[in-house]
Amino acid sequence: MEEKQLITSGVDEFTPREIVAELDKYIVGQKKAKRAVAVALRNRIRRLKISAEMRDDITPKNILMIGPTGVGKTEIARRLAKLTNSPFIKVEATKYTEVGYVGRDVESMIRDLMAAGFQMVKQEMQESVTAEAAKRAEDALLDLLLPGTGKKPKPEKAPQNPVVRPMGSFTINPNNSGGPGPAFMGTAIQIGIPVGRDKEQDASETENPALGPGSPGQEDAGTGTAAGSGPSKAASGRNTTGAATREKFRAMLREGKLDDRTVEIMVNQNPQFPAFEMMGGGMEDIEASLSGIAGFFGGSKKKKVVSVKRAREILVSEESEKLIDRDRVSDEARQRVEETGIVFIDEIDKIAVKGDRGGGPDVSREGVQRDILPIVEGATVSTKWGPVNTDHILFIAAGAFNIAKPSDLIPELQGRFPLRVELDSLGKEDFLRILTEPKNALTKQYVELMATEKVEIEFAPEAVDRLAALAAEVNARLENIGARRLHTIMEALLEELSFEAPDIAPAKVPITVDYVNQKLADIVKDQDLGRYIL
């Protein structure tokens, strides 16, 4: 199937089968989990296509993933959000505390999600105005390099019309004065021809009041004679020369010939306040207040001497900020978060309360569950971008559940995660596929990393098979950390080569079974593998 990129506007073109195929490019196995998230995504699109009356009553089917660490729970959710261009946030359930305890409250996960959505939409809108921002930044740079050449010539003033002002009406009656003829009425008007004046003349008269329109040197003012034609021609010549120089510098600027020059620019300098946590709500109010104080005291600018190349980057960023409408960004981000947002709550099993445990810290754990419950059920959370409704945000919870069980969660929270999928542990065959099949496979990553040092490495199929078998063996003897074990195996294998790569380059190093056995000989022989691989 031809590779596609899912976006919010075109995601409805993808079937659940195609979504699973996209996830297969990065994640090995776990068909059940992939099918669950694909169906959940498709149901979102279906909900948006039905009538508004029924749409509000359809809530997302949140998912609870159960499986050991390193089997792809987080990666499935992250890749799904990336494919669908959805706002996504991954949080740890253990970092939240019950209201009344010192620490982060659960509502902060929605604020973090809204911040991620705002940044996503802002970046998209900035990309749409990149061309205009670059043009404005270029003109600003030319103004810095060639002061005065960017000024547009002032248009000539149109000749003023004569002033006609009514002075009143009058009546002439010859009969009253004894003369013959009928009486008639008329209107008296005042006609004045304005004298052309300019700012220089006004300035000279201000400096010397005695110098008036009739004074020497002012005879030609406003008469339109050739006396004013000389300076006009000179100014026109200067403007033509300046424009030619400006265009020459513009061409040099675009070719990068001026990148090493330095210019002095004014950059926005916003004061930074230290981050802090507080109990209970009200954090958003304090944050908004601090932002207001920052704008009052700090929207100052600071002079900075930078290269032309760096100045262009700064100016493009500032011009992009000016060109986008932040209110529109907030509205778009809030709508996208409410309709397509995804929250991944990891380590949810760590806040489960076992029945045989007493009080103590469990009170806080159960309290965190109670605080999470209204967020997952649907609530309105205040953020600095406006209120966000969580009714249709998709929540995916995950945990190993090797000590606690899903039934140890409070019943109300269990009911808000109706879909449960168990992820399989990874074996040798899975490790072999992980090392070779995905686009971002570990073997491909190390090949690219060593290529930067002009060291070419090539993994033999037998060597990759040996690495997969060794990773499975280590997971069986020690803690099962899933695919993360491959990272430690690969680092132990290529540690010496990574250290010596700059000294032996250029070189070609084949990774064979003998090479693997030689570099990992101590690990293979020793039964206590924990001394070598953490």
Side-chain angles (χ1 to χ4, degrees), residues 122 126 133-134 137 310-324:
K122 177 183 173 183
Q126 284 182 334
R310 175 58 181 156
R312 187 201 297 267
E313 297 173 359
I314 295 174
L315 291 173
V316 167
S317 177
E318 290 185 353
E319 293 298 332
S320 298
E321 287 278 352
K322 296 176 184 177
L323 288 171
I324 63 174

Side-chain angles (χ1 to χ4, degrees), residues 6 9 21 44 46 87 146 332 357 361 390 394 405 410 495:
L6 301 178
S9 59
R44 278 184 153 189
R46 292 166 179 161
L146 300 170
E332 173 69 21
R357 258 190 237 158
T390 66
L394 177 63
K405 302 185 296 295
I410 61 176
E495 180 182 9

Side-chain angles (χ1 to χ4, degrees), residues 176-422:
N176 294 338
S177 58
F184 61 91
M185 298 179 63
T187 302
I189 60 174
Q190 178 186 16
I191 299 178
I193 300 177
V195 179
R197 305 168 66 87
D198 54 23
K199 293 183 178 180
E200 294 180 359
Q201 178 181 343
D202 292 341
S204 63
E205 291 183 8
T206 302
E207 295 174 359
N208 186 5
L211 189 62
S215 302
Q218 303 296 323
E219 294 87 350
D220 296 326
T223 61
T225 62
S229 61
S232 176
K233 292 181 180 179
S236 177
R238 287 196 300 270
N239 291 338
T240 304
T241 304
T245 305
R246 186 178 179 89
E247 292 305 315
K248 181 179 178 181
F249 267 71
R250 188 189 299 275
M252 295 172 62
L253 187 63
R254 291 176 177 176
E255 295 173 1
K257 296 180 180 179
L258 305 177
D259 286 352
D260 295 333
R261 288 198 182 187
T262 58
V263 292
E264 185 180 76
I265 63 174
M266 302 292 290
V267 296
N268 293 325
Q269 197 73 8
N270 294 325
Q272 299 294 326
F273 293 95
F276 62 92
E277 299 288 349
M278 64 172 292
M279 292 187 299
M283 186 62 199
E284 287 300 316
D285 297 335
I286 293 181
E287 199 172 318
S289 299
L290 290 180
S291 300
I293 295 174
F296 182 77
F297 287 104
S300 60
K301 288 181 175 288
K302 176 183 178 182
K303 288 185 179 180
K304 197 173 184 180
V305 178
V306 295
S307 64
V308 169
K309 184 177 181 180
R310 175 58 181 156
R312 187 201 297 267
E313 297 173 359
I314 295 174
L315 291 173
V316 167
S317 177
E318 290 185 353
E319 293 298 332
S320 298
E321 287 278 352
K322 296 176 184 177
L323 288 171
I324 63 174
D325 184 356
R326 294 184 69 89
D327 292 335
R328 183 185 169 196
V329 174
S330 299
D331 295 340
E332 173 69 21
R334 186 164 59 252
Q335 181 181 0
R336 190 176 298 187
V337 165
E338 292 180 346
E339 297 294 340
T340 66
I342 300 175
V343 177
F344 184 81
I345 307 176
D346 202 6
E347 307 293 348
I348 198 169
D349 57 316
K350 303 301 187 296
I351 62 171
V353 181
K354 292 193 67 175
D356 57 350
R357 258 190 237 158
D362 295 338
V363 176
S364 178
R365 293 181 183 181
E366 189 171 337
V368 173
Q369 295 184 55
R370 289 195 300 267
D371 290 346
I372 291 178
L373 182 61
I375 302 297
V376 178
E377 283 185 335
T380 301
V381 178
S382 297
T383 71
K384 62 182 179 181
W385 296 282
V388 176
N389 187 278
T390 66
D391 285 343
H392 302 289
I393 294 177
L394 177 63
F395 291 88
I396 302 176
F401 289 99
N402 50 0
I403 298 177
K405 302 185 296 295
S407 58
D408 292 329
L409 297 170
I410 61 176
E412 295 84 357
L413 191 58
Q414 294 181 47
R416 295 308 299 171
F417 290 91
L419 300 182
R420 297 185 184 181
V421 290
E422 294 189 13

